[in-house]
């Protein structure tokens, strides 16, 4: 009932959400996942503003992230929804978010939770400059290898990106002195 109210789902959409929750609860690739777990993830995705169709598309990726990162379904849904919203990704790309975090954790000293915290801190700045989620996760993973924790790495990257977006007069002069240009001919930020 709460999911129906939050999502604004019609009767037909609620039937689809229920069927999806049942299917995910029976999915052998999602050990220790119940239909209730799937419904919890769907509720959190809906709270984050995803449409019913996006929620349906994202729910399996959220449950995969929850299992891989060993976090609650609600936390995995929040991480995923924030990433999807910040980078204007489709709900069907939720598995990509889980895969990126798993890949970053496997290639660095960061845990998936560290990377998720970095993603949370830096997503807005990176997305607003046209950089991809892949670039941010890679940068956070690299910084964890030199001693930053995930949240601090994301904050440092966010601050650096914000300063590059609108440098002070002194910083702009120094960048010009060394031939550093962060914008293309049309004024768009260059890739990180």
């Amino acid at each position: 009932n709460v999911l129906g109210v939050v999502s604004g789902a019609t009767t037909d959409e609620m039937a689809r959400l229920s069927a999806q929750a049942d299917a995910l609860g029976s999915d052998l690739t999602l050990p220790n996942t119940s239909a209730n777990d799937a419904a919890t993830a769907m509720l959190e995705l809906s709270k984050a503003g995803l449409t019913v169709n996006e929620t349906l598309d994202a729910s399996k990726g959220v449950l995969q992230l929850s299992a891989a990162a060993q976090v609650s379904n609600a936390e995995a849904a929040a991480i995923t929804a924030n990433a999807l919203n910040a980078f204007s990704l489709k709900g069907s790309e939720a598995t990509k978010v889980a895969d990126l975090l798993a890949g970053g954790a496997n290639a660095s000293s960061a845990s998936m939770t560290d990377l998720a915290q970095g993603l949370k801190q830096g997503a807005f700045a990176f997305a607003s400059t046209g950089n991809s989620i892949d670039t941010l996760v890679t940068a956070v993973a690299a910084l964890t290898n030199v001693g930053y924790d995930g949240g601090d790495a994301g904050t440092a990257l966010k601050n650096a990106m914000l300063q590059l977006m609108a440098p002070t007069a002194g910083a702009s002069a120094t960048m010009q002195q060394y031939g550093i240009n962060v914008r293309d001919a049309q004024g768009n930020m260059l890739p990180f």
Side-chain angles (χ1 to χ4, degrees):
N1 289 339
V2 174
L3 175 59
V5 171
V6 170
S7 68
T10 65
T11 303
D12 289 342
E13 290 171 330
M14 279 305 296
R16 289 175 45 215
L17 288 166
S18 179
Q20 175 86 342
D22 288 341
L24 292 170
S26 302
D27 189 332
L28 296 177
T29 65
L30 297 169
N32 301 319
T33 300
S34 69
N36 190 49
D37 294 330
T40 299
M42 290 176 181
L43 174 62
E44 294 302 319
L45 290 168
S46 293
K47 284 180 179 179
L50 273 68
T51 66
V52 171
N53 286 334
E54 291 170 329
T55 296
L56 288 165
D57 289 341
S59 54
K60 184 170 184 174
V62 166
L63 295 170
Q64 289 169 329
L65 176 59
S66 174
Q70 299 178 349
V71 296
S72 72
N73 295 318
E75 185 176 352
I79 292 165
T80 303
N82 291 340
L84 294 175
N85 288 333
F87 288 96
S88 300
L89 301 173
K90 296 177 183 175
S92 60
E93 295 179 271
T95 301
K96 175 184 177 177
V97 173
D99 290 345
L100 282 171
L101 295 177
N106 289 336
S108 71
S109 63
S111 69
M112 289 178 73
T113 306
D114 280 335
L115 294 173
Q117 287 300 316
L119 184 62
K120 180 179 179 181
Q121 293 298 321
F124 171 75
F126 269 67
S128 66
T129 60
N131 283 281
S132 70
I133 187 173
D134 307 57
T135 301
L136 177 56
V137 171
T138 301
V140 171
L143 286 178
T144 62
N145 283 343
V146 295
Y148 282 87
D149 72 14
D152 289 343
T155 299
L157 289 164
K158 172 187 70 180
N159 291 338
M161 191 61 69
L162 292 174
Q163 289 180 13
L164 287 171
M165 288 168 60
T168 64
S172 185
T174 301
M175 289 168 56
Q176 193 171 35
Q177 176 185 351
Y178 290 104
I180 300 170
N181 191 2
V182 297
R183 298 194 180 273
D184 64 17
Q186 290 75 38
N188 300 316
M189 290 285 291
L190 293 170
F192 186 69

